[in-house]
Amino acid sequence: MMRKPVFVKTIQFVGIGLFVFALALFSWSLTASKFVLNEEALKAAIGNEQHWAHVAVHIAPMQGQTYPNSFAFIAALDAALRRAQEDIRKQVTDELGLTPSDGAYWNAILQDYQLKAVRFPVAKASAMGLLPDRSWLFFALSIGLGVLSAFLYLLPQKRDLPGIWHNGLWHHSLTSRGWLGMALGAWLIAFYALLYFYPEHLVNWVIMVDPISEALSGHPASQWFLYGLLYTLAILVMGVRMLIKYRHNRYQIIRTVSVMFFQTAFAFLIPEILVRLNKPYFDFKNIWPLDYDFFFEIDELIANGTLGIFMLGWGIALAVVGVPVFTYFFGKRWYCSWVCGCGGLAETMGDPFRQLSSKKLRAWRIERWLIHGVLVFAVVMTAMVLYTYFTGESRVLGLDSYQVRKWYGLYIGSWFAGVIGTGFYPLMGNRVWCRFGCPLAAYLGLVQRFRSRFRITTNGGQCISCGNCSTYCEMGIDVRWYAQRGQDIVRASCVGCGVCAAVCPRGVLRLEQASADVSKRASELRVLRMVPGKQVEMLA
Amino acid sequence: MHIVIIGNGISGITAACHIRKLSDYRITVISGESEYFFSRPALMYIYMGHMTFEHAKPYEDWFWDKNRIERIHGWVDQVDFAAKQVILYDGRKIGYDRLILATGSQPNKFGWPGQDLDGVHGLYSLQDLEALERHSPHIEHAVIVGGGLIGVELAEMLHSRHIPFTFLVRESSFWNIVLPPEESAMVTRHIRAHGVDLRLESELKEIWGDQQGRCKMVVTSEGEKIRCQYVGLTAGVSPNVDFLRFSALDIEKGILVDDYLQTNIPDVYAIGDCAQLRQPQPGRRPIEAVWYTGRMMGQVVAQTICGKPTPYNPGIWFNSAKFFDIEYQVYGTVLPNPPEHHASLYWEHPDGQRSVRIVYDRRTDSVLGFNLMGIRYRHEVCERWLCDGTPIEEVLQDLSLANFDPEFYPQYEGAIVAQYNQQAGKQLKLRKRRRLDLVLDFLKR
Ligand SMILES: Cc1cc2nc3c(=O)[nH]c(=O)nc-3n(C[C@H](O)[C@H](O)[C@H](O)COP(=O)(O)OP(=O)(O)OC[C@H]3O[C@@H](n4cnc5c(N)ncnc54)[C@H](O)[C@@H]3O)c2cc1C
Ligand code: SF4
Ligand code: SF4
C-alpha cells in the first residue's frame, strides 16, 4: 500500500494542530481586553450637547473603573445610558411639553437606535490592555497563523494522485453532521449573531485589523471591514484547496480562480480604494436584488457626480440587462458560481459540506415557496423605497417604507443571508441562502428555467443510478432523477458548479449550451437505449 | 391481474415502474436483500464514505406507495409454477397471474478449499457490504481474488480505508480478456501507481482457517502464503438461480428465455442478470450481467406483459466503468484479440492515462467500435455512427461531435486525426467543432 512519507504526514498534522491553536486563540482573544470608558469617544458618539449633559451625569460612576470584558463594560454603559435616556425623556415631556405625536419630540429624545449605535465605537475606543497593546502579535498568531497552518495542511495534498477526493466524508464528524460539524455550525452562528447584532463584542478582532484598514482605505476598521477581510481570506485559502482538489478539472480551476478574483478585487479591494479616494463604497459585481440596499442611497450616489451616476447606471444595467442577457447565453452560473461573493464562499469554504443539502422532493417544494417569496418581498420593498424616494411620502399602502426596508434588512439581509446562510453550512450544506433565500438567484433562476441556452445533458443510457451526482449537488437537485431517464437537467436552481459532472463515475453529465431545441430542453426525453427507437414514458 | 416480481434490482424495478405506467395491474416486488431498491454499483461509494445508503436509493420511500408498487421484504424459497404461487421462507404464499424472475447474480466460487470460511466474501449484495464493514476494523491485510470490474472496485474500497491488500489476478495484464493490450497495460500501470500490490498471473489455490473457522491465510498458485483476515472473491458472477433448479423451469447457466423474455413456462418471464437468451443477437452473449441490459429487459418485458409484445433487442453494445481514477467507456465492438479484418486507430496521451481507440472494418472502412480511457464520448453520436456503419474517415472528420468532456478540457480529436493521417498518409482535417447545436443537427438528420 502506498503511504505518504512520514514527514509529509507530520507537516499536515502540525498544520491541523496549529490551526486549532490559532482558532482557539482567535476565539479567546475576544476576551483579551480590559475596558476603561473613553469619555471622548462617548461624547463624540453621542454628538449632541444636551444629551451629553445628561449622559455625563450617569456615566460618572464608570470613570476610572476597569471592566474585565466587553460584556461587563457594555452592561454598565447600557445601564448608564438607559438612565440618561429616561432623564432626557422626562425633561422633554415635562419641561418642553412635547409628546410622541410631535415631530420635535423624536429629535429631542435619545432614541434606542442611537443608544445601540454608540456601543461599538465606544467599546472599540475603550479597549485596552493585553490585546490592544500588541494587536499585531494577536493578529499574527490567530489570523496569520490560521492562514499559514491551513496551507501546511493543504499544500501537501498536491502529492496525492488527482481524482475525486470524497473518501470518508460521510464517516467524518465534520462533514457528516457529527459533533465537529455541529460545533463549527455553532461557532459560525455565534459569529454571525455577534457581527450583525452585537458588534461591540467583536472590537478586539476589529482592533487587530485596524492597520490593514488604515493602509487600504485610510480609515480605521469597522466590523464590516473585519468581516470582508475574513471572508476574502476564507475564499482565498479554501480556493487554493479547490485548486488542488480539482487540479485535473479545468472547469473547476477556472471557475475557482474567477470567484477568488472577484472577491478579492471587486468585493474587497476596489471598494476600500474608492473610500480612500473619497468616493462612495461600491461593489461593482453586486447586483440588485441581492444588493437589496442599492436603491436606498440614490442621493448619495448622485451627489458623487459622474462616478456616482455611472455607478447608479451600472447597477441598474446589470440588473435589467446583464442578468437576462448573460443568463440567456450561459445560465445563471455566470453569476452564481463564477462571480458572486456568496457563491464564492459556498464554492470554496463550503465545498466540504455540499453533500449535506437535502435532495428530498419536500425540500424542493419548500425551496420554491421560500425563494420566490423572498423575491416578491425584495421587489415590493424596493418599490416602496422608490415610491418614497420620488414622492417623499413614506407611507405606502398603510405601511411605513422605512420600517419595511428595516424588516427586510433584519430578517432577510442579516438572519437569512448571514446567520442561517453561512452558519448552517455544516448542517444543511453550503448553499442554504442561495437555494432558499437569495432573491437574485430566484430572478436568475426564472430566466434560466424559461429563457436560456444552458442545460446539463446526459450521456445516452450510461447512467447507473449511483447517486453521486445528487449527493454532491449543493443545490439539492436530484440530478440522478433526470440522468437515469436520459433527460436534460433544466432546473431554475442549478448554479452550474459542474461538480455533478465531475463526480459522476460514468461520465454521464455535461454542462452545455445550445440554441437548438431550446424550448424543448426539459420536456423531451432524448431516450435512450431502452427500447431502441421507441419513446418510453416514465413514472413520476 | 397480479404481477409478482422476484428481485428488486434494476431489472425488476424497471419492469415494475413500466408496468405501472402502462397498466393498473396489481404489482408486488419481493426481495430478501432490502425493502427498497438501491443502486448496486453504488455499494462501493457507501463503503468509501462518499455516500450513505440513503443516497444509493434512486427513489424516495414514498414513491412506491404513491405508484402502488407493493413490496415484500423476504426470501423466496420456491415457486410452485403449477399452482402459480411463490412461497417464502417464512411460509407466506403469494399467488400470481404473471411472474417475473429478476433474481440477479451471485459471486462465483470455484470450489476453492476454504471458500466458505468466515471472512471470505464476495462483493455483490448489501449483506456482503455489511460483512466487509464488520470485518474492516480487524483487517491487517486482505486478499482480493479476481481482476474484473468488481475486483478493481473492491481494491479502490480497501485503498480508501488504507487497508493493505494483495490483489491476485489470473491474467497477464489487468482485464485483458476484455480490454485491448494498450488499455489493459494502462489500467495495470494506473492500479500500481496507487501503490496496490497487484500480482498478475497469480491465482488462488486455497484458503486456510483458524480454529474459530476464520480465514487466516491464502495460498496462491505459486505456493506463496499470504496472511490475511479478509478474502474478497471477485472472480466474476453467475446467475442466482439455484433455488429454482430442479423445477419445471428450463435453466442452463441462467434461466432460458426467448426473444420476448418468456421462459418455457407460460406467464413466467426472466430478466436481468439471471436470464439467459436462447438466441442472442449476433455478436452478443447469452448472459450479459450489466446494469443497462437489465434495465432494457425490464422495459421490454413490461411492454409485453401489458399487451404490446416487444422482442428484446439491446441495440449497439455499450458499457462503462472506472478503474480508480480512469474512466472507461466502450461503444460497439472492441475486442482484445480482434480478427484480421478489424483495424484499429489507437491514440494515447503522453501522460499514459488517456486514450481513444476506434475500431473499423479494414474491408469496408465502417467503424465498429470506440474504446475510451479517461475521455468521455457521447453515446448517441457514437451509436449513430456505429448503426450507420459510417466510414472511418467520415467519423474522424466529425470526431469533435462525439467529445463529451467538460468545458475547457483539452480536446484531442485533432491529435487523433493527425495520427490517422500519419498512419494512412492522408490529409484529413476536423470539419466540425464540439457544439451541442451541431450534435443535435447531426442526430436529427
Ligand atoms: C459491486 C458491483 C458493481 C457493479 N457495477 C456495475 C456498473 O458499474 N455497471 C454495470 O453495468 N453493472 C454493474 N454491476 C452489475 C449490475 O449491478 C448488475 O448487472 C445488476 O444489478 C443486475 O440487476 P438485476 O436486477 O438483474 O439483479 P440484482 O440487482 O442482483 O437484483 C436481484 C435481487 O433479487 C433478490 N433475490 C434473489 N433471489 C431471491 C430470492 N430467492 N428471494 C428474494 N429475493 C431474491 C436479490 O437479493 C436482489 O436484491 C455491478 C455489480 C456489482 C456487484
Ligand atoms: S446540478 Fe450539477 S452543476 Fe447544477 S448545481 Fe447541482 S451539482 Fe452544480
Ligand atoms: S453520478 Fe452519473 S452514473 Fe451516478 S446517478 Fe449521477 S449521472 Fe448517473
Side-chain angles (χ1 to χ4, degrees):
Chain A
M1 204 64 330
M2 193 171 59
R3 295 214 176 253
K4 278 186 204 166
V6 174
F7 78 92
V8 177
K9 272 187 160 173
T10 313
I11 290 177
Q12 290 193 300
F13 197 71
V14 169
I16 297 180
L18 289 178
F19 186 81
V20 171
F21 169 79
L23 185 66
L25 182 79
F26 189 56
S27 311
W28 175 79
S29 72
L30 284 182
T31 67
S33 288
K34 295 190 187 354
F35 290 80
V36 175
L37 179 65
N38 181 326
E39 274 195 44
E40 290 298 296
L42 180 57
K43 194 171 173 191
I46 296 280
N48 171 322
E49 284 297 333
Q50 272 115 29
H51 289 169
W52 175 242
H54 290 273
V55 170
V57 177
H58 287 284
I59 52 128
M62 287 182 76
Q63 269 165 2
Q65 284 264 21
T66 306
Y67 296 89
N69 55 48
S70 58
F71 292 95
F73 175 71
I74 292 294
L77 179 69
D78 221 37
L81 290 174
R82 290 275 169 209
R83 288 194 292 273
Q85 184 187 33
E86 185 53 25
D87 275 4
I88 295 168
R89 197 188 58 78
K90 271 213 186 92
Q91 192 195 22
V92 170
T93 44
D94 297 356
E95 292 175 21
L96 301 179
L98 293 171
T99 65
S101 49
D102 301 312
Y105 169 88
W106 295 101
N107 291 333
I109 64 164
L110 182 57
Q111 294 195 37
D112 280 348
Y113 81 89
Q114 292 169 301
L115 283 195
K116 261 190 99 138
V118 160
R119 290 182 199 158
F120 176 78
V122 174
K124 193 177 168 207
S126 305
M128 52 200 307
L130 192 59
L131 184 137
D133 291 348
R134 16 184 122 54
S135 60
W136 60 270
L137 182 66
F138 273 88
F139 179 84
L141 287 179
S142 58
I143 299 178
L145 185 66
V147 171
L148 194 81
S149 57
F151 283 130
L152 278 185
Y153 177 71
L154 294 176
L155 292 179
Q157 293 184 349
K158 276 180 75 173
R159 302 176 61 97
D160 297 336
L161 295 175
I164 297 303
W165 292 350
H166 290 155
N167 286 346
L169 283 191
W170 283 99
H171 301 150
H172 197 290
S173 74
L174 181 65
T175 48
S176 65
R177 284 188 212 109
W179 70 270
L180 260 179
M182 301 282 180
L184 178 63
W187 194 96
L188 287 169
I189 289 169
F191 168 73
Y192 274 93
L194 290 177
L195 177 74
Y196 282 114
F197 308 118
Y198 307 100
E200 56 274 17
H201 300 300
L202 294 181
V203 291
N204 283 355
W205 291 352
V206 179
I207 290 169
M208 280 194 233
V209 301
D210 257 342
I212 303 176
S213 179
E214 292 280 0
L216 283 173
S217 69
H219 292 276
S222 66
Q223 72 269 34
W224 302 119
F225 178 83
L226 167 79
Y227 181 45
L229 180 75
L230 292 178
Y231 200 101
T232 308
L233 284 175
I235 288 186
L236 291 178
V237 171
M238 292 299 275
V240 169
R241 173 185 167 278
M242 276 299 272
L243 295 179
I244 296 173
K245 174 176 171 182
Y246 282 113
R247 65 186 198 276
H248 57 287
N249 187 320
R250 270 205 212 166
Y251 181 75
Q252 298 300 332
I253 292 176
I254 297 174
R255 184 175 76 82
T256 304
V257 169
S258 171
V259 292
M260 289 163 80
F261 166 76
F262 277 103
Q263 174 61 29
T264 314
F266 280 65
F268 186 60
L269 292 177
I270 293 175
E272 295 296 332
I273 292 167
L274 283 170
V275 171
R276 152 145 271 168
L277 302 174
N278 276 322
K279 302 290 180 220
Y281 181 100
F282 196 81
D283 178 350
F284 282 95
K285 63 151 186 49
N286 206 355
I287 304 179
W288 180 90
L290 172 61
D291 187 7
Y292 64 91
D293 52 8
F294 178 74
F295 293 105
F296 292 5
E297 272 121 31
I298 300 178
D299 278 332
E300 198 202 313
L301 286 180
I302 292 174
N304 265 283
T306 330
L307 179 66
I309 292 180
F310 170 73
M311 287 169 173
L312 191 62
W314 171 262
I316 294 173
L318 268 186
V320 176
V321 184
V323 166
V325 169
F326 283 124
T327 309
Y328 172 74
F329 283 107
F330 307 112
K332 80 199 262 189
R333 57 182 171 154
W334 77 271
Y335 193 71
C336 295
S337 63
W338 285 71
V339 173
C340 178
C342 304
L345 192 71
E347 295 295 344
T348 52
M349 189 177 97
D351 178 68
F353 306 108
R354 55 173 63 247
Q355 67 279 6
L356 301 174
S357 60
S358 170
K359 281 77 190 178
K360 295 210 166 83
L361 192 63
R362 231 170 61 106
W364 184 18
R365 282 210 191 104
I366 296 172
E367 164 194 323
R368 281 180 295 181
W369 277 105
L370 264 180
I371 194 166
H372 295 118
V374 173
L375 176 62
V376 170
F377 188 5
V379 169
V380 169
M381 183 271 294
T382 304
M384 291 172 77
V385 167
L386 288 174
Y387 179 81
T388 301
Y389 175 77
F390 286 114
T391 63
E393 177 59 57
S394 70
R395 288 202 83 73
V396 190
L397 304 172
L399 285 169
D400 177 5
S401 80
Y402 289 95
Q403 194 58 41
V404 172
R405 71 164 82 165
K406 237 163 87 190
W407 285 335
Y408 189 95
L410 176 65
Y411 294 114
I412 308 298
S414 305
W415 271 105
F416 208 157
V419 182
I420 298 175
T422 312
F424 276 57
Y425 271 20
L427 308 175
M428 288 171 67
N430 53 335
R431 287 275 192 178
V432 179
W433 162 247
C434 312
R435 179 181 180 193
F436 295 102
C438 176
L440 179 56
Y443 170 27
L444 288 154
L446 289 172
V447 181
Q448 167 157 294
R449 176 68 185 75
F450 296 108
R451 269 279 162 271
S452 169
R453 299 156 57 109
F454 173 75
R455 85 285 303 273
I456 300 176
T457 49
T458 54
N459 200 7
Q462 290 277 23
C463 176
I464 50 171
S465 300
C466 70
N468 274 289
C469 51
S470 297
T471 307
Y472 287 90
C473 176
E474 53 192 357
M475 297 305 282
I477 298 172
D478 191 358
V479 183
R480 163 176 56 193
W481 174 271
Y482 307 90
Q484 66 193 358
R485 44 174 66 196
Q487 190 177 9
D488 285 358
I489 296 129
V490 177
R491 278 280 291 265
S493 62
C494 170
V495 292
C497 65
V499 168
C500 54
V503 299
C504 172
R506 296 295 177 268
V508 174
L509 304 164
R510 183 163 196 277
L511 280 60
E512 44 196 345
Q513 279 105 202
S515 54
D517 79 346
V518 76
S519 53
K520 291 193 291 183
R521 292 174 307 171
S523 52
E524 181 189 20
L525 297 190
R526 223 179 272 130
V527 178
L528 264 197
R529 277 106 301 273
M530 293 185 164
V531 184
K534 242 189 204 174
Q535 193 81 1
V536 189
E537 286 218 37
M538 302 288 282
L539 266 196
Chain B
M1 175 99 103
H2 187 194
I3 316 283
V4 172
I5 302 172
I6 307 181
N8 68 349
I10 180 65
S11 58
I13 285 299
T14 308
C17 290
H18 284 262
I19 293 171
R20 172 53 68 242
K21 190 76 202 176
L22 297 168
S23 77
D24 254 338
Y25 300 155
R26 179 169 169 219
I27 303 170
T28 304
V29 182
I30 308 173
S31 171
E33 187 178 11
S34 62
E35 180 175 356
Y36 294 104
F37 169 50
F38 70 94
S39 168
R40 199 169 294 293
L43 285 176
M44 65 181 292
Y45 300 106
I46 300 173
Y47 182 79
M48 300 202 303
H50 294 208
M51 308 194 321
T52 63
F53 179 68
E54 279 307 303
H55 295 114
K57 293 194 285 194
Y59 301 93
E60 286 184 59
D61 293 349
W62 51 256
F63 178 86
W64 309 107
D65 284 339
K66 179 188 165 218
N67 288 300
R68 288 171 294 122
I69 294 172
E70 295 169 37
R71 302 161 311 281
I72 293 178
H73 187 186
W75 292 103
V76 174
D77 182 34
Q78 51 176 304
V79 181
D80 183 343
F81 293 106
K84 285 195 156 185
Q85 256 183 0
V86 169
I87 304 161
L88 269 64
Y89 271 114
D90 60 17
R92 269 183 290 175
K93 295 193 169 87
I94 294 130
Y96 65 82
D97 297 304
R98 301 272 190 282
L99 178 67
I100 302 177
L101 300 166
T103 55
S105 300
Q106 59 190 12
N108 282 336
K109 290 184 172 183
F110 293 114
W112 294 294
Q115 67 182 15
D116 295 318
L117 286 165
D118 187 24
V120 182
H121 296 274
L123 177 65
Y124 190 84
S125 63
L126 206 51
Q127 286 73 31
D128 290 334
L129 190 78
E130 283 160 5
L132 174 57
E133 191 67 71
R134 219 172 33 244
H135 287 293
S136 288
H138 318 295
I139 306 178
E140 283 162 30
H141 196 93
V143 175
I144 302 175
V145 180
L149 293 178
I150 299 180
V152 73
E153 287 188 2
L154 182 56
E156 197 178 343
M157 289 159 71
L158 295 175
H159 183 265
S160 79
R161 299 246 188 134
H162 307 290
I163 295 173
F165 61 92
T166 305
F167 194 178
L168 304 182
V169 172
R170 185 183 56 191
E171 291 76 29
S172 59
S173 176
F174 195 84
W175 215 36
N176 65 4
I177 47 168
V178 175
L179 292 176
E182 289 85 354
E183 284 91 332
S184 169
M186 175 186 296
V187 174
T188 307
R189 274 197 312 272
H190 183 69
I191 293 175
R192 287 194 164 139
H194 282 84
V196 171
D197 177 13
L198 174 64
R199 309 279 177 89
L200 297 172
E201 300 186 290
S202 185
E203 284 181 73
L204 171 65
K205 203 163 121 217
E206 55 190 53
I207 309 169
W208 297 354
D210 62 12
Q211 259 97 34
Q212 284 81 43
R214 291 180 301 223
C215 71
K216 64 168 189 188
M217 191 91 81
V218 152
V219 184
T220 70
S221 49
E222 299 97 78
E224 191 185 349
K225 300 190 180 71
I226 304 168
R227 199 171 271 289
C228 59
Q229 294 74 39
Y230 176 86
V231 181
L233 299 179
T234 56
V237 297
S238 42
N240 174 23
V241 292
D242 288 348
F243 76 104
L244 296 166
R245 284 188 195 274
F246 315 112
S247 67
L249 198 62
D250 248 359
I251 298 181
E252 211 178 87
K253 271 192 86 175
I255 304 164
L256 289 166
V257 292
D258 63 16
D259 284 356
Y260 292 86
L261 305 174
Q262 208 153 1
T263 66
N264 63 313
I265 301 176
D267 298 335
V268 179
Y269 302 79
I271 57 175
D273 280 17
C274 68
Q276 176 178 351
L277 295 167
R278 289 179 196 272
Q279 278 161 336
Q281 303 276 323
R284 304 287 295 248
R285 285 161 294 140
I287 303 176
E288 290 175 333
V290 292
W291 186 261
Y292 315 111
T293 50
R295 195 175 59 198
M296 288 186 246
M297 288 184 179
Q299 288 167 336
V300 168
V301 84
Q303 301 275 335
T304 302
I305 286 182
C306 296
K308 298 184 205 163
T310 307
Y312 172 66
N313 170 6
I316 301 279
W317 167 253
F318 67 95
N319 198 7
S320 57
K322 196 171 179 183
F323 306 97
F324 280 79
D325 305 314
I326 297 185
E327 285 173 20
Y328 153 70
Q329 296 181 332
V330 59
Y331 302 108
T333 310
V334 178
L335 299 171
N337 303 302
E340 183 51 34
H341 66 276
H342 282 202
S344 99
L345 172 65
Y346 179 75
W347 171 90
E348 187 173 308
H349 189 276
D351 74 4
Q353 304 199 51
R354 271 166 280 199
S355 70
V356 175
R357 177 186 299 274
I358 308 177
V359 179
Y360 57 99
D361 191 321
R362 238 182 257 292
R363 302 163 308 192
T364 62
D365 276 352
S366 302
V367 285
L368 301 170
F370 295 81
N371 204 67
L372 302 135
M373 309 295 293
I375 291 175
R376 300 173 174 178
Y377 267 15
R378 211 183 272 272
H379 189 170
E380 293 100 325
V381 173
C382 294
E383 186 183 62
R384 172 62 71 85
W385 283 328
L386 292 167
C387 276
D388 294 353
T390 313
I392 174 77
E393 298 196 349
E394 190 128 329
V395 167
L396 283 171
Q397 293 176 80
D398 290 351
L399 198 57
S400 307
L401 292 182
N403 186 300
F404 199 71
D405 270 343
E407 294 149 296
F408 305 119
Y409 272 40
Q411 291 171 51
Y412 302 111
E413 284 70 40
I416 296 165
V417 171
Q419 176 153 337
Y420 178 83
N421 284 342
Q422 204 190 3
Q423 283 173 10
K426 293 281 170 68
Q427 295 293 326
L428 301 184
K429 285 209 171 59
L430 289 177
R431 58 185 182 198
K432 293 242 165 72
R433 292 201 304 130
R434 172 176 77 175
R435 274 193 37 208
L436 182 56
D437 292 84
L438 300 178
V439 170
L440 295 176
D441 288 348
F442 170 77
L443 290 175
K444 280 191 192 124
R445 224 173 40 204

